[in-house]
Coordinates of all heavy atoms in Angstrom, one line a residue:
D148 N -130.5 139.4 -73.4 CA -130.0 140.1 -74.6 C -131.1 140.7 -75.3 O -132.2 140.1 -75.5 CB -129.2 139.2 -75.5 CG -127.9 138.7 -74.9 OD1 -127.3 139.5 -74.1 OD2 -127.4 137.7 -75.3
G149 N -130.9 142.0 -75.8 CA -131.9 142.5 -76.8 C -131.4 142.1 -78.2 O -130.3 141.8 -78.5
L150 N -132.4 142.1 -79.1 CA -132.1 141.8 -80.5 C -132.2 143.1 -81.3 O -133.3 143.7 -81.4 CB -133.1 140.8 -81.1 CG -132.9 139.4 -80.7 CD1 -134.0 138.5 -81.2 CD2 -131.6 138.8 -81.1
H151 N -131.2 143.6 -81.8 CA -131.1 144.9 -82.5 C -130.9 144.7 -84.0 O -130.2 143.8 -84.5 CB -129.9 145.7 -82.0 CG -129.9 146.0 -80.6 ND1 -130.0 147.3 -80.1 CD2 -129.9 145.3 -79.4 CE1 -130.0 147.3 -78.8 NE2 -130.0 146.1 -78.4
V152 N -131.6 145.5 -84.8 CA -131.6 145.4 -86.2 C -131.8 146.8 -86.9 O -132.5 147.6 -86.3 CB -132.6 144.4 -86.8 CG1 -134.1 144.9 -86.6 CG2 -132.4 143.9 -88.2
S153 N -131.2 147.0 -88.1 CA -131.4 148.2 -88.7 C -132.9 148.5 -89.0 O -133.6 147.5 -89.4 CB -130.6 148.3 -90.0 OG -130.8 149.5 -90.7
S154 N -133.4 149.7 -89.0 CA -134.8 150.0 -89.1 C -135.4 149.8 -90.4 O -136.6 149.8 -90.6 CB -135.0 151.4 -88.6 OG -134.4 152.3 -89.4
G155 N -134.6 149.7 -91.5 CA -135.1 149.6 -92.8 C -135.4 148.3 -93.4 O -135.6 148.1 -94.6
H156 N -135.6 147.3 -92.5 CA -135.8 145.9 -92.9 C -137.2 145.3 -92.6 O -137.4 144.1 -92.7 CB -134.7 145.0 -92.3 CG -133.3 145.3 -92.7 ND1 -132.9 145.5 -94.1 CD2 -132.2 145.6 -92.0 CE1 -131.7 145.8 -94.1 NE2 -131.2 145.9 -92.9
G157 N -138.1 146.2 -92.2 CA -139.4 145.7 -91.9 C -139.6 144.9 -90.6 O -140.6 144.2 -90.4
R158 N -138.7 145.1 -89.7 CA -138.8 144.4 -88.4 C -139.0 145.3 -87.2 O -139.1 144.9 -86.1 CB -137.5 143.6 -88.2 CG -137.3 142.5 -89.1 CD -136.0 141.8 -89.0 NE -136.0 140.6 -89.8 CZ -136.1 139.3 -89.3 NH1 -136.2 139.2 -88.0 NH2 -136.0 138.3 -90.1
K159 N -139.1 146.6 -87.4 CA -139.4 147.5 -86.3 C -140.9 147.3 -85.9 O -141.7 146.8 -86.6 CB -139.1 149.0 -86.7 CG -139.9 149.5 -87.8 CD -139.4 151.0 -88.1 CE -140.3 151.6 -89.2 NZ -139.8 153.0 -89.5
R160 N -141.2 147.8 -84.7 CA -142.5 147.5 -84.1 C -143.7 148.0 -85.0 O -144.6 147.2 -85.2 CB -142.6 148.2 -82.8 CG -143.9 147.9 -82.0 CD -143.8 148.6 -80.6 NE -144.9 148.3 -79.8 CZ -146.1 148.9 -79.8 NH1 -146.2 149.9 -80.5 NH2 -147.1 148.5 -78.9
D161 N -143.6 149.2 -85.5 CA -144.7 149.7 -86.4 C -144.9 148.9 -87.6 O -146.0 148.6 -88.0 CB -144.5 151.2 -86.7 CG -144.6 152.1 -85.5 OD1 -145.0 151.6 -84.4 OD2 -144.2 153.3 -85.6
A162 N -143.8 148.4 -88.2 CA -143.9 147.6 -89.4 C -144.5 146.2 -89.1 O -145.4 145.7 -89.9 CB -142.5 147.4 -90.0
V163 N -144.2 145.6 -88.0 CA -144.7 144.4 -87.6 C -146.2 144.5 -87.3 O -147.0 143.7 -87.7 CB -144.0 143.8 -86.4 CG1 -144.7 142.5 -85.9 CG2 -142.5 143.4 -86.8
L164 N -146.6 145.6 -86.6 CA -148.0 145.8 -86.3 C -148.8 146.0 -87.6 O -150.0 145.7 -87.6 CB -148.2 147.0 -85.3 CG -147.8 146.8 -83.9 CD1 -147.8 148.1 -83.1 CD2 -148.8 145.8 -83.2
A165 N -148.2 146.7 -88.6 CA -148.9 146.9 -89.8 C -148.9 145.7 -90.7 O -149.6 145.8 -91.8 CB -148.2 148.1 -90.5
G166 N -148.3 144.7 -90.4 CA -148.3 143.5 -91.2 C -147.4 143.5 -92.4 O -147.6 142.8 -93.4
E167 N -146.4 144.4 -92.4 CA -145.5 144.5 -93.6 C -144.7 143.2 -93.7 O -144.4 142.6 -92.7 CB -144.6 145.7 -93.4 CG -145.2 147.0 -93.4 CD -144.2 148.2 -93.2 OE1 -143.0 147.9 -93.4 OE2 -144.6 149.3 -92.9
V168 N -144.4 142.9 -94.9 CA -143.6 141.7 -95.2 C -142.1 142.1 -95.0 O -141.6 143.0 -95.7 CB -143.8 141.2 -96.7 CG1 -142.9 140.0 -96.9 CG2 -145.3 140.8 -96.9
P169 N -141.5 141.4 -94.1 CA -140.1 141.8 -93.8 C -139.1 141.5 -95.0 O -139.4 140.5 -95.7 CB -139.7 141.0 -92.6 CG -140.6 139.9 -92.6 CD -141.9 140.3 -93.2
K170 N -138.1 142.2 -95.1 CA -137.1 141.9 -96.2 C -136.3 140.7 -95.8 O -136.1 140.4 -94.6 CB -136.2 143.2 -96.4 CG -136.9 144.4 -96.8 CD -135.9 145.6 -97.0 CE -136.6 146.8 -97.5 NZ -135.7 148.0 -97.6
V171 N -135.8 140.0 -96.9 CA -134.9 138.9 -96.6 C -133.6 139.6 -96.3 O -133.1 140.4 -97.1 CB -134.8 138.0 -97.9 CG1 -133.8 137.0 -97.7 CG2 -136.2 137.4 -98.2
L172 N -133.0 139.1 -95.2 CA -131.7 139.7 -94.8 C -130.5 138.9 -95.2 O -130.5 137.7 -95.1 CB -131.7 139.8 -93.2 CG -132.8 140.6 -92.6 CD1 -132.7 140.5 -91.1 CD2 -132.8 142.0 -93.1
A173 N -129.5 139.6 -95.7 CA -128.2 139.0 -96.0 C -127.6 138.7 -94.7 O -127.9 139.3 -93.7 CB -127.4 140.0 -96.8
P174 N -126.6 137.8 -94.7 CA -125.9 137.4 -93.4 C -125.4 138.6 -92.6 O -125.5 138.7 -91.4 CB -124.8 136.5 -93.8 CG -125.3 135.8 -95.1 CD -126.1 136.9 -95.8
H175 N -124.9 139.6 -93.3 CA -124.3 140.8 -92.6 C -125.3 141.8 -92.2 O -125.0 142.8 -91.5 CB -123.2 141.5 -93.5 CG -123.8 142.2 -94.7 ND1 -124.2 141.5 -95.8 CD2 -124.0 143.5 -94.9 CE1 -124.7 142.4 -96.7 NE2 -124.6 143.6 -96.2
Q176 N -126.6 141.5 -92.4 CA -127.7 142.4 -92.0 C -128.5 141.7 -90.8 O -129.5 142.3 -90.3 CB -128.6 142.7 -93.1 CG -128.0 143.4 -94.3 CD -129.0 143.5 -95.5 OE1 -129.7 142.5 -95.8 NE2 -128.9 144.6 -96.2
A177 N -128.1 140.6 -90.4 CA -128.8 139.8 -89.4 C -128.9 140.5 -88.1 O -128.0 141.3 -87.7 CB -128.1 138.5 -89.2
P178 N -130.0 140.4 -87.4 CA -130.2 141.0 -86.0 C -129.0 140.5 -85.1 O -128.5 139.4 -85.2 CB -131.5 140.4 -85.5 CG -132.3 140.1 -86.7 CD -131.2 139.6 -87.7
Q179 N -128.6 141.5 -84.3 CA -127.4 141.3 -83.4 C -127.9 141.3 -82.0 O -128.6 142.2 -81.5 CB -126.3 142.3 -83.7 CG -125.8 142.3 -85.1 CD -125.1 141.0 -85.4 OE1 -124.4 140.4 -84.6 NE2 -125.3 140.6 -86.7
R180 N -127.4 140.3 -81.2 CA -127.7 140.3 -79.8 C -126.7 141.3 -79.0 O -125.5 141.3 -79.3 CB -127.5 138.9 -79.2 CG -128.5 137.9 -79.8 CD -128.2 136.5 -79.3 NE -128.5 136.3 -77.9 CZ -129.2 135.3 -77.4 NH1 -129.8 134.4 -78.2 NH2 -129.4 135.2 -76.1
Q181 N -127.4 142.1 -78.2 CA -126.6 143.0 -77.3 C -127.1 142.9 -75.9 O -128.4 142.7 -75.7 CB -126.7 144.4 -77.7 CG -126.5 144.6 -79.2 CD -125.0 144.6 -79.6 OE1 -124.1 144.3 -78.8 NE2 -124.7 145.0 -80.9
P182 N -126.3 142.9 -74.9 CA -126.8 142.7 -73.5 C -127.7 143.9 -73.1 O -127.4 145.1 -73.4 CB -125.5 142.7 -72.7 CG -124.5 143.4 -73.5 CD -124.9 143.1 -74.9
L183 N -128.8 143.6 -72.4 CA -129.6 144.6 -71.8 C -128.9 145.4 -70.7 O -129.1 146.6 -70.6 CB -130.9 144.0 -71.2 CG -132.0 143.6 -72.1 CD1 -133.2 143.2 -71.3 CD2 -132.4 144.8 -73.0
V184 N -128.0 144.7 -70.0 CA -127.2 145.4 -69.0 C -125.7 145.3 -69.5 O -125.2 144.2 -69.5 CB -127.4 144.7 -67.6 CG1 -126.4 145.3 -66.6 CG2 -128.8 144.7 -67.2
R185 N -125.2 146.4 -69.8 CA -123.8 146.4 -70.4 C -122.8 146.9 -69.4 O -123.0 147.9 -68.7 CB -123.8 147.3 -71.7 CG -122.5 147.1 -72.5 CD -122.7 147.8 -73.8 NE -121.4 147.7 -74.5 CZ -121.1 148.3 -75.7 NH1 -122.1 149.0 -76.3 NH2 -119.9 148.2 -76.2
L186 N -121.7 146.1 -69.2 CA -120.7 146.5 -68.3 C -119.7 147.4 -69.0 O -119.1 147.0 -70.1 CB -120.0 145.2 -67.8 CG -118.9 145.4 -66.7 CD1 -119.6 145.9 -65.4 CD2 -118.2 144.1 -66.4
H187 N -119.5 148.6 -68.5 CA -118.7 149.5 -69.2 C -117.2 149.1 -69.0 O -116.8 148.9 -67.9 CB -118.9 150.9 -68.7 CG -118.4 152.0 -69.5 ND1 -117.0 152.3 -69.6 CD2 -119.0 152.9 -70.4 CE1 -116.9 153.3 -70.5 NE2 -118.0 153.7 -71.0
P188 N -116.4 149.0 -70.1 CA -115.1 148.5 -70.0 C -114.1 149.5 -69.3 O -113.0 149.1 -68.9 CB -114.7 148.3 -71.5 CG -115.5 149.3 -72.3 CD -116.8 149.3 -71.5
V189 N -114.5 150.7 -69.2 CA -113.6 151.7 -68.5 C -114.0 152.0 -67.1 O -113.1 151.9 -66.2 CB -113.5 153.1 -69.3 CG1 -112.7 154.1 -68.6 CG2 -113.0 152.8 -70.7

C-alpha cells in the first residue's frame, strides 16, 4: 500500500527534505492507504 496525503500538510517529499515542521492533522486529514496495484472493478 502507498500512503497518500493532501499536499498542504508538510508531508510531501520537498517539505520533508527541507525540514519543515508538519502540520498536526485532524482525524479526517490522516494519510490514507491505497493499494499500489489496484484491481479495476469493471
Side-chain angles (χ1 to χ4, degrees):
D148 290 335
L150 286 177
H151 298 245
V152 70
S153 180
S154 62
H156 298 306
R158 290 172 171 258
K159 62 184 181 180
R160 186 176 184 273
D161 292 350
V163 173
L164 284 171
E167 294 181 17
V168 177
K170 296 180 180 178
V171 176
L172 301 179
H175 68 283
Q176 298 171 325
Q179 300 297 320
R180 293 174 70 128
Q181 310 283 9
L183 282 184
V184 180
R185 191 167 175 189
L186 187 65
H187 197 285
V189 178

